[in-house]
Amino acid sequence: MARTPEETLTATLARVAPGTALRDGLERILRGRTGALIVLGSDRTVDSICSGGFEIGIEFSPTRLRELAKMDGAIVCDKDARHIVRAGVQLVPDASIETTESGTRHRTAERVAKQTGFPVISVSQSMQIIALYVNGLRHVLEGSEKVSARANQALATLERYRSRLDQVTAALSSLEIEAMVTVRDVAVTLQRQEMVRRISEEISQLVLELGLDGRLLALQLDELTAGRGPGSEVILRDYAGSDASAEDIEQAVAALRELSAQDLVDPHRIAAIIAGAGGEASPDAVVEPRGYRLLSGLKAVPGAVADRLVEHFGGLQYLMAATIEDLMQVDGIGEQRARSVREGLSRMAESSLLDRYI
């Protein structure tokens, strides 16, 4: 499967993260104030736009990259930056390819990246920056100190978001058990889920950029995202219409992720997404969960068994009221599993109500 430009950029950031040989070579070039143009990939398309230079086919090393960058010409490496294929070449990409850059080196880098599909690195001699070009995307590498400062600030934000998510999730569980859930309560939970997901992805990108310098931040991120509970797709499935298909749920999740930051704080926007999957549209409408979210918290209940339980009982309130004998009537539910489900739901109900009223 072909990678998207975003996925290619993420993979490239991992290759140029601090602690890698390629990043070491790039920083040597920066300190030497010579500039460079490096293509991370070699095929017939790359060969067709290369003029002059010479083939060397040597193993990659930071010092070799630094020395070859002193020459007036681009450097072509293999896609994993393990070997330097060519050096001192002039890149002649298609001039009709649109570019937003003004400098010769950066214009060439952007056009080559678009034409070949390979990442291209441009090291600016005058501006002292390292820019990555991947299929129309441009990303400027920053120093570890700046990235670490941004990551620490984002972690503090994630901690606040996670705390609020835990609060609204616990409140939703209590309201579900008491049959008092409104679409607004569901929308707030989905909103907080999406906020946590977005800031977590941003931090993951920063950790990736930091490479070895981001190990402690990675541990903090893992701690803050562990035990986050079911994702947005499970909540949407819980409150979608009974005839909603898997495709409807996928479309609803995609619509939620495409919301702008401004629209995400508007419960009416999220209510519209729930309605699009067959649920209630009014934020103040009282709704009944089908039970997927709470069942997902029980290790003894696989997804297929949860589907049969929901289909059999039709709603969370009926499921909560079911006896062990009632549960055993469902295909795949023996006495031991029925007891586990009954006790698990009872513990959830007791814990949620205690948290709400004590």
Side-chain angles (χ1 to χ4, degrees), residues 85-122:
V85 181
R86 305 178 70 167
V89 301
Q90 180 185 1
L91 296 174
V92 190
D94 185 352
S96 65
I97 297 175
E98 294 186 1
T99 174
T100 58
E101 297 291 350
S102 57
T104 302
R105 180 179 286 125
H106 295 297
R107 290 171 67 85
T108 301
E110 186 173 16
R111 282 174 171 159
V112 170
K114 289 181 178 180
Q115 184 171 346
T116 66
F118 289 121
V120 180
I121 304 173
S122 175

Side-chain angles (χ1 to χ4, degrees), residues 182-251:
T182 65
V183 174
R184 189 181 303 274
D185 299 317
V186 180
V188 169
T189 305
L190 287 170
Q191 175 198 76
R192 292 295 167 176
Q193 279 271 14
E194 180 62 14
M195 286 180 171
V196 168
R197 188 195 67 82
R198 291 185 184 187
I199 193 68
S200 298
E201 284 194 353
E202 182 177 338
I203 297 171
S204 296
Q205 187 87 343
L206 295 173
V207 169
L208 186 65
E209 285 190 50
L210 286 169
L212 294 177
D213 297 337
R215 288 173 295 181
L216 293 178
L217 290 172
L219 292 174
Q220 290 177 272
L221 177 61
D222 290 342
E223 183 180 2
L224 286 173
T225 54
R228 195 167 64 189
S232 300
E233 62 278 0
V234 177
I235 299 176
L236 284 165
R237 192 181 182 196
D238 226 4
Y239 291 93
S242 57
D243 57 347
S245 65
E247 184 178 355
D248 293 331
I249 301 301
E250 289 179 5
Q251 291 177 352

Side-chain angles (χ1 to χ4, degrees), residues 26-276:
L26 294 174
E27 290 180 347
R28 287 170 183 262
I29 294 172
L30 271 183
R31 291 194 296 269
R33 298 182 179 274
T34 52
L37 189 59
I38 304 165
V39 182
L40 295 180
S42 178
D43 61 5
R44 292 181 179 178
T45 304
V46 175
D47 292 341
S48 68
I49 61 174
C50 288
S51 175
F54 49 90
E55 297 184 8
I56 48 179
I58 60 173
E59 187 176 348
F60 180 92
S61 74
T63 54
R64 286 171 176 168
L65 186 70
R66 165 71 181 94
E67 293 302 317
L68 291 171
K70 293 179 181 179
M71 296 186 297
D72 186 18
I75 301 169
V76 179
C77 300
D78 62 6
K79 63 179 182 179
D80 296 320
R82 294 181 179 177
H83 292 84
I84 300 174
V85 181
R86 305 178 70 167
V89 301
Q90 180 185 1
L91 296 174
V92 190
D94 185 352
S96 65
I97 297 175
E98 294 186 1
T99 174
T100 58
E101 297 291 350
S102 57
T104 302
R105 180 179 286 125
H106 295 297
R107 290 171 67 85
T108 301
E110 186 173 16
R111 282 174 171 159
V112 170
K114 289 181 178 180
Q115 184 171 346
T116 66
F118 289 121
V120 180
I121 304 173
S122 175
V123 182
S124 174
Q125 179 179 359
S126 58
M127 298 178 63
Q128 288 289 288
I129 63 170
I130 303 171
L132 305 181
Y133 294 88
V134 179
N135 283 339
L137 298 180
R138 179 179 186 268
H139 182 89
V140 176
L141 294 182
E142 295 180 310
S144 294
E145 292 184 1
K146 289 184 178 180
V147 178
S148 293
R150 288 169 53 200
N152 282 315
Q153 185 178 11
L155 277 171
T157 303
L158 175 60
E159 189 172 3
R160 294 194 298 271
Y161 282 7
R162 176 59 195 269
S163 176
R164 181 58 180 155
L165 173 61
D166 291 343
Q167 292 174 10
V168 298
T169 301
L172 180 64
S173 297
S174 299
L175 292 170
E176 286 180 343
I177 291 165
E178 298 179 67
M180 295 171 59
V181 182
T182 65
V183 174
R184 189 181 303 274
D185 299 317
V186 180
V188 169
T189 305
L190 287 170
Q191 175 198 76
R192 292 295 167 176
Q193 279 271 14
E194 180 62 14
M195 286 180 171
V196 168
R197 188 195 67 82
R198 291 185 184 187
I199 193 68
S200 298
E201 284 194 353
E202 182 177 338
I203 297 171
S204 296
Q205 187 87 343
L206 295 173
V207 169
L208 186 65
E209 285 190 50
L210 286 169
L212 294 177
D213 297 337
R215 288 173 295 181
L216 293 178
L217 290 172
L219 292 174
Q220 290 177 272
L221 177 61
D222 290 342
E223 183 180 2
L224 286 173
T225 54
R228 195 167 64 189
S232 300
E233 62 278 0
V234 177
I235 299 176
L236 284 165
R237 192 181 182 196
D238 226 4
Y239 291 93
S242 57
D243 57 347
S245 65
E247 184 178 355
D248 293 331
I249 301 301
E250 289 179 5
Q251 291 177 352
V253 172
L256 180 65
R257 295 187 174 184
E258 290 173 1
L259 288 177
S260 65
Q262 183 177 0
D263 290 340
L264 186 59
V265 299
D266 184 357
H268 291 84
R269 292 279 189 175
I270 303 179
I273 292 175
I274 298 172

Side-chain angles (χ1 to χ4, degrees), residues 289-346:
R290 302 173 70 187
Y292 289 112
R293 192 179 71 87
L294 289 186
L295 286 173
S296 67
L298 301 178
K299 295 181 179 180
V301 183
V305 175
D307 290 343
R308 290 196 290 270
L309 283 169
V310 171
E311 183 179 356
H312 181 86
F313 291 99
L316 180 62
Q317 292 303 315
Y318 298 105
L319 184 58
M320 296 291 295
T323 64
I324 293 178
E325 289 72 21
D326 294 333
L327 292 169
M328 290 175 62
Q329 295 178 16
V330 179
D331 185 29
I333 301 289
E335 181 178 357
Q336 183 176 356
R337 178 169 286 171
R339 193 176 301 277
S340 297
V341 172
R342 177 69 268 151
E343 292 176 353
L345 291 175
S346 296

